[in-house]
Amino acid sequence: MKLIDILDATPFPIGYRIAFLTNFWREPILRQMEKDFGIIRPELTVLICLSFRDNLNARDICEITEQPSNTVSRGVASLERKGLLTRTRDAVDTRKQILNITADGQKVHDEIMERFKSAEARMLSSLTPIETGRLHAILDKIARDVANWKD
Amino acid sequence: MKLIDILDATPFPIGYRIAFLTNFWREPILRQMEKDFGIIRPELTVLICLSFRDNLNARDICEITEQPSNTVSRGVASLERKGLLTRTRDAVDTRKQILNITADGQKVHDEIMERFKSAEARMLSSLTPIETGRLHAILDKIARDVANWKD
DNA sequence: AATATATAGTTCCATATGGAGCAAAGTTGG
DNA sequence: CCAACTTTGCTCCATATGGAACTATATATT
């Protein structure tokens, strides 16, 4: 038996395929990233946020990513130890720490993003350009609807 | 800032959306499943395999799911303790234990599958039938190509 | 101003998970 | 038949993760 047989039998064929592809597309890169860069998942999440926007604090990152605050806290602390981001006390609200990615952090971020990009290209290599365009449009429509899922 | 902004900036728009949807579609159900049924992820994996096919052993499940043997071993042991599967020594090869799902196990499995099914319906509720059909076809094409990804 | 409440970030703790290595059983090659 | 190797499933250990509680600071209420 192969996984592909279960693919045919599932009562949620699209959800199953989406989760299935995440497993085989994203997870190997995350594991390799740990080995090669010593960066773990919550650290990458923080790097991505800070690469996109300056001067966030940990709470912002919690809200953006819907991750628990202790996970973000650890990610921020370890990234600082590695010199991949800086922490500065907010002068107005001294509880807050303003976070910024460093040049090293940006470099690591970019290299990891490059791996995801290559993996995506491989994942889509069996599709025609029209199929790729349609897939993008449909996934985008669903993703933008996620905010409405709140039960 | 919202997650949706990062959605627009990523260099791997389709892979990002697939992973994003997995996070928001599958993960909440898995967490709720833990609370409501006391079933954790590797246990569900085993249940799904055994629901689909009888008389598998732990090694089969490792190969089907590409999970490490200790994870499967733990899943099998705890499911047996809960009465959701049975273990029988293989008379020919006494190292092997032949696994079968029980009626209780099938019931739990079916209830969990029902939740995934509902969540899928909600996830796809913003699509037209044509879009849903196209999405299914394209994801299926990619998923069946996964076997060729071996680097 | 004093007290109650809310928020930012951390630590503590319990648990999930994977890698490595193990014992027991089976297989292969002489 | 016996030694070397393979396979099955397990335990040990290190680490990732999330919930809850905690500290320090800020804000609201009286």
Side-chain angles (χ1 to χ4, degrees), chain B residues 12-135:
Chain B
F12 39 96
I14 291 178
Y16 189 92
R17 280 162 179 75
I18 288 176
F20 175 90
L21 289 173
T22 298
N23 275 352
F24 284 89
W25 172 73
R26 182 182 64 181
E27 300 308 315
I29 301 177
L30 290 175
R31 276 195 289 278
Q32 199 57 42
M33 172 185 80
E34 280 187 44
K35 283 187 197 163
D36 295 347
F37 299 96
I39 300 287
I40 60 176
R41 194 174 308 220
E43 293 175 329
L44 178 62
T45 306
V46 171
L47 277 185
I48 291 174
C49 291
L50 291 179
S51 170
F52 185 65
R53 190 68 48 104
D54 295 330
N55 300 320
L56 297 172
N57 62 45
R59 179 65 34 186
D60 295 330
I61 295 175
C62 290
E63 277 159 23
I64 293 166
T65 63
E66 306 202 5
Q67 291 210 314
S69 63
N70 54 3
T71 299
V72 172
S73 175
R74 272 188 297 252
V76 167
S78 57
L79 286 171
E80 189 194 31
R81 280 195 297 276
K82 292 169 187 166
L84 305 184
L85 62 75
T86 57
R87 284 201 271 202
T88 317
R89 279 279 161 211
D90 185 324
V92 178
D93 184 341
T94 62
R95 291 172 307 180
K96 293 184 184 172
Q97 299 177 71
I98 299 173
L99 307 174
N100 280 287
I101 195 167
T102 64
D104 278 359
Q106 189 63 50
K107 187 157 170 287
V108 168
H109 168 271
D110 293 348
E111 286 178 29
I112 295 170
M113 291 304 103
E114 202 50 50
R115 294 188 179 196
F116 281 106
K117 200 174 155 187
S118 307
E120 185 195 66
R122 187 182 58 176
M123 173 167 72
L124 302 176
S125 60
S126 67
L127 300 184
T128 67
I130 289 176
E131 286 170 332
T132 303
R134 281 179 178 166
L135 178 61

Side-chain angles (χ1 to χ4, degrees), chain B residues 136-151:
Chain B
H136 184 288
I138 295 170
L139 290 176
D140 191 67
K141 192 171 176 185
I142 303 174
R144 286 174 200 284
D145 189 52
V146 166
N148 302 325
W149 293 3
K150 303 294 172 199
D151 325 59

Side-chain angles (χ1 to χ4, degrees), chain A residues 15-134:
Chain A
Y16 190 91
R17 280 163 178 74
I18 288 177
F20 175 90
L21 289 174
T22 298
N23 275 353
F24 285 88
W25 172 73
R26 182 182 65 181
E27 301 308 316
I29 302 177
L30 290 175
R31 276 196 290 277
Q32 199 57 42
M33 173 185 80
E34 281 189 44
K35 284 187 196 164
D36 294 348
F37 299 98
I39 299 288
I40 61 178
R41 196 174 305 221
E43 293 175 328
L44 178 62
T45 307
V46 171
L47 278 185
I48 291 174
C49 291
L50 291 178
S51 170
F52 185 66
R53 191 68 48 103
D54 295 330
N55 300 320
L56 297 172
N57 61 45
R59 180 63 36 185
D60 296 330
I61 295 175
C62 291
E63 277 158 23
I64 293 167
T65 63
E66 307 202 5
Q67 290 209 315
S69 62
N70 54 4
T71 298
V72 172
S73 174
R74 272 188 298 253
V76 167
S78 56
L79 286 171
E80 189 194 32
R81 280 195 298 275
K82 293 169 186 166
L84 305 184
L85 63 73
T86 58
R87 284 201 272 201
T88 318
R89 279 277 163 214
D90 185 325
V92 178
D93 184 340
T94 63
R95 292 171 306 180
K96 293 184 184 174
Q97 301 178 68
I98 299 172
L99 307 175
N100 280 288
I101 196 167
T102 63
D104 279 357
Q106 189 65 49
K107 188 158 168 288
V108 168
H109 169 271
D110 293 348
E111 287 178 29
I112 295 170
M113 291 303 104
E114 201 50 50
R115 293 188 180 197
F116 281 105
K117 199 174 155 187
S118 306
E120 184 193 68
R122 188 182 56 175
M123 174 167 71
L124 303 176
S125 60
S126 66
L127 301 184
T128 66
I130 287 177
E131 287 170 331
T132 304
R134 281 180 178 166

